[in-house]
Amino acid sequence: MRRTRDWFEPARFGLFVHWGPWARAGWEASWPLVGGVVTLPLGQDIPADEYHANAGGWQPDPAAPEAWATAAAAAGMRYAVLTTRHHDGYALWPSRHGAHGVAHTAPGVDIVRTFAEACRRHGLKIGLYYSLPDWHHPDYPAFTDAQRPYVFGGYPSPSADGWQRYMEYVRGQITELLSDYGTIDMIWFDGAWERSADMWDVDALERLIRGLQPCILINDRLPGHGNFATPEQFVPPEPPAEPWETCLTMNRSWGYNSSDTDYKLPATLVHTLSEVAGRGGNLLLNIGPDGDGRIPPPQQARMSEFARWMARHAEAIIGTSAGLKPWQFAGPTTLKGNTLYCHLLMQPVAPVSVRGVPVQHLKSVRVLGHDAALPFEIRIPVMDELMHIDGSGEVLIDLPEALRDPVATVLVLEFDCDPARSGSAAPSQETAA
Ligand code: GLC
């Protein structure tokens, strides 16, 4: 059985948390240190000394993760992933390796610990993000203003000794993260593009990780070793063959970027969750708490909209698998056993139609969250009817105005066979005769 079937695929919805010293200044995560990147157009450009000096005054509040986990659980999320160390190298736990992080600027604080505890309290699986590059570490080597602007592919080479020390540091930190906090369900790497898989010594890293946490999932950013793909800021039109998770920001920044007010509508985000689930993937939705660890109001509002919608519709997301083909319904669909969930992302102007399903096995139709059975009409080819062929046909459903959700209504179609069964079932002896 593939590892992701255990909890990851059924979970469908998780919280990404980008938190680090940048939040204190209201900057995007790490990228301002290297002069920004085109894909994060609202990020800043901050000289290296000034960038790192900001970390010195930051006292992260160990209580912050409790509010994130509360919001995540209320929104129907099943796991959470925290940036334990982003590209700027600041460790959110008191690492005994390296010289940058809470151990040096906020003694006594351990955000990874309070994060893991909060996740457990709220029934969330625990994911730890770890950037392979560290733009602060002297052996990496550290990014300097002379290298600005950042060029993809143009990184200064470390010395051979330096690289050995650097990888010792990476292994040391990973060992701490996967030894000191109980069961960790996922490690989420990032930044591998800066060096080759050989330099990252990926096979040895994987052995180390699985030796410490045998059941852990690893994302595909540890080249060659991922349990799942990680399309970024994008829902793949054709779902990848392997398990996958789209990571997505609510605005255009990962970190708490006070200059970024360009938010996606709450409805758009809910629709994205339906689209992702309908293609058999997960959504890892990001928040960037401010320097005090508070979820910024526009992000909290979006979390609350998920809480409202998921209170009624979680059943159509969690534990489902990818649904029908795109032509069968004008919107995403998800499946659970003999139940088909049709996610209406637009207000219907005519009866809603579901095509190519085994209509003679359709037992009932209702709106998710309401008990009343809705009347439905079925259409099948005339010859199928005359010959008693158990084929597929079309269902038409009138959706009363009063039952519509303002953001996305889900129709529940209960069959007594697999709703995705294609074509006709073999005719019985009696009809064949
Ligand atoms: C990119 C960015 C990084 C962000 C990550 C999330 O790799 O470099 O800032 O944390 O995407 O997927």
Side-chain angles (χ1 to χ4, degrees), residues 262-288:
D262 192 4
Y263 280 91
K264 298 171 184 77
L265 291 176
T268 304
L269 293 171
V270 171
H271 291 184
T272 302
L273 177 61
S274 285
E275 296 277 8
V276 164
R279 289 176 174 76
N282 285 15
L283 177 63
L284 185 65
L285 183 66
N286 184 69
I287 57 167

Side-chain angles (χ1 to χ4, degrees), residues 29-353:
S30 298
W31 285 98
L33 162 63
V34 300
V37 61
V38 286
T39 50
L40 299 167
L42 302 175
Q44 300 75 0
D45 180 352
I46 313 287
D49 284 349
E50 186 186 340
Y51 183 91
H52 292 308
N54 170 63
W58 192 47
Q59 296 296 306
D61 179 1
E66 173 60 24
W68 312 335
T70 304
M77 293 166 166
R78 293 302 170 96
Y79 62 109
V81 181
L82 170 68
T83 53
T84 64
R85 179 169 82 51
H86 205 255
H87 312 324
D88 68 4
Y90 186 92
L92 286 183
W93 77 103
S95 179
R96 297 175 291 280
H97 302 270
H100 196 40
V102 289
H104 308 274
T105 62
V109 170
D110 186 346
I111 303 302
V112 173
R113 183 164 309 283
T114 54
F115 172 74
E117 288 168 356
C119 286
R120 288 193 187 106
R121 266 195 299 279
H122 291 276
L124 304 169
K125 296 283 183 188
I126 302 168
L128 303 181
Y129 167 109
Y130 185 82
S131 165
L132 288 163
D134 178 339
W135 295 337
H136 177 274
H137 197 288
D139 290 320
Y140 185 67
F143 188 91
T144 65
D145 291 334
Q147 294 157 40
R148 194 179 298 273
Y150 182 92
V151 178
F152 274 80
Y155 329 106
S157 297
S159 68
D161 286 0
W163 192 252
Q164 245 178 14
R165 284 193 300 271
Y166 184 74
M167 285 307 293
E168 274 308 307
Y169 155 76
V170 165
R171 282 188 286 268
Q173 290 204 321
I174 290 174
T175 302
E176 290 172 340
L177 289 172
L178 302 186
S179 310
D180 298 350
Y181 301 99
T183 301
I184 300 300
D185 303 289
M186 173 193 286
I187 184 156
W188 212 103
F189 284 109
D190 195 19
W193 70 80
E194 288 201 343
R195 312 284 174 194
S196 68
D198 269 2
M199 279 185 83
W200 294 124
D201 203 3
V202 289
D203 296 347
L205 272 188
E206 194 207 15
R207 276 195 304 278
L208 171 72
I209 293 164
R210 299 214 186 277
L212 295 168
Q213 297 277 346
C215 297
I216 200 165
L217 298 180
I218 307 176
N219 71 340
D220 67 348
R221 298 185 187 192
L222 183 67
H225 290 285
N227 298 118
F228 60 94
T230 53
E232 182 171 327
Q233 301 283 42
F234 184 67
V235 179
E238 286 295 331
E242 65 272 33
W244 58 280
E245 174 199 69
T246 279
C247 51
L248 188 77
T249 53
M250 292 185 181
N251 52 1
R252 304 181 79 183
S253 311
W254 294 103
Y256 171 64
N257 181 355
S258 48
S259 62
D260 182 356
T261 54
D262 192 4
Y263 280 91
K264 298 171 184 77
L265 291 176
T268 304
L269 293 171
V270 171
H271 291 184
T272 302
L273 177 61
S274 285
E275 296 277 8
V276 164
R279 289 176 174 76
N282 285 15
L283 177 63
L284 185 65
L285 183 66
N286 184 69
I287 57 167
D290 69 15
D292 295 329
R294 283 187 298 250
I295 304 175
Q299 300 182 20
Q300 185 59 60
R302 281 151 183 81
M303 293 298 282
S304 301
E305 179 57 16
F306 273 108
R308 182 199 71 78
W309 190 80
M310 286 291 274
R312 181 164 280 173
H313 300 100
E315 180 191 323
I317 299 287
I318 293 165
T320 60
S321 53
L324 305 177
K325 300 186 184 73
W327 58 265
Q328 295 187 269
F329 178 70
T333 52
T334 49
L335 284 164
K336 201 184 276 175
N338 290 345
T339 307
L340 172 68
Y341 301 97
C342 298
H343 301 233
L344 270 160
L345 309 188
M346 290 184 250
Q347 296 295 349
V349 294
V352 174
S353 142

